[in-house]
Amino acid sequence: MSIDQSTAAKVAKLARIKVEEDALPALADEFNTILGFIEQLNEVDVEGVEPMTSVTPQRLKRRVDEVTDGNQQDKILANAPDAREGFFAVPKVVE
């Protein structure tokens, strides 16, 4: 795949980057260099290689998944400008 100057201008416009007309050939060359590198990566044999999320093997810490009500109703409602009967009270918005 090759990028010409008109395609480079279109990409610059879509990216909202102002590129002068005389800089378009260099931009097109840069795009072609990047695409060439990507084509080289496509040639690498990755058969049997597991996907990675990190360069070092890590496991996230696990915790017991217990359902609770939080037991913090008083603390939470202390932040409310208006609380009634254990709930947030809000102004009526629908008539």
Side-chain angles (χ1 to χ4, degrees):
M1 178 179 205
S2 181
I3 302 291
D4 58 359
Q5 290 183 29
S6 64
T7 306
K10 184 175 181 180
V11 170
K13 182 179 178 185
L14 290 172
R16 299 191 192 297
I17 300 172
K18 183 178 180 181
V19 178
E20 299 297 331
E21 195 69 32
D22 58 338
L24 284 175
L27 182 62
D29 287 341
E30 287 183 42
F31 284 151
N32 286 321
T33 301
I34 293 168
L35 290 174
F37 178 70
I38 293 171
E39 287 175 3
Q40 285 180 354
L41 290 176
N42 286 333
E43 296 172 3
V44 175
D45 180 24
V46 293
E47 188 68 33
V49 177
E50 293 291 323
M52 296 175 31
T53 58
S54 175
V55 293
T56 57
Q58 298 179 2
R59 296 209 31 104
L60 295 176
K61 294 179 182 177
R62 306 274 180 172
R63 64 174 172 80
V64 178
D65 190 13
E66 297 175 350
V67 178
T68 66
D69 65 355
N71 297 325
Q72 299 183 18
Q73 183 180 23
D74 295 333
K75 291 179 184 178
I76 293 170
L77 291 177
N79 294 323
D82 188 10
R84 297 180 197 158
E85 300 176 14
F87 297 98
F88 287 97
V90 295
K92 186 175 182 179
V93 293
V94 178
E95 295 295 325

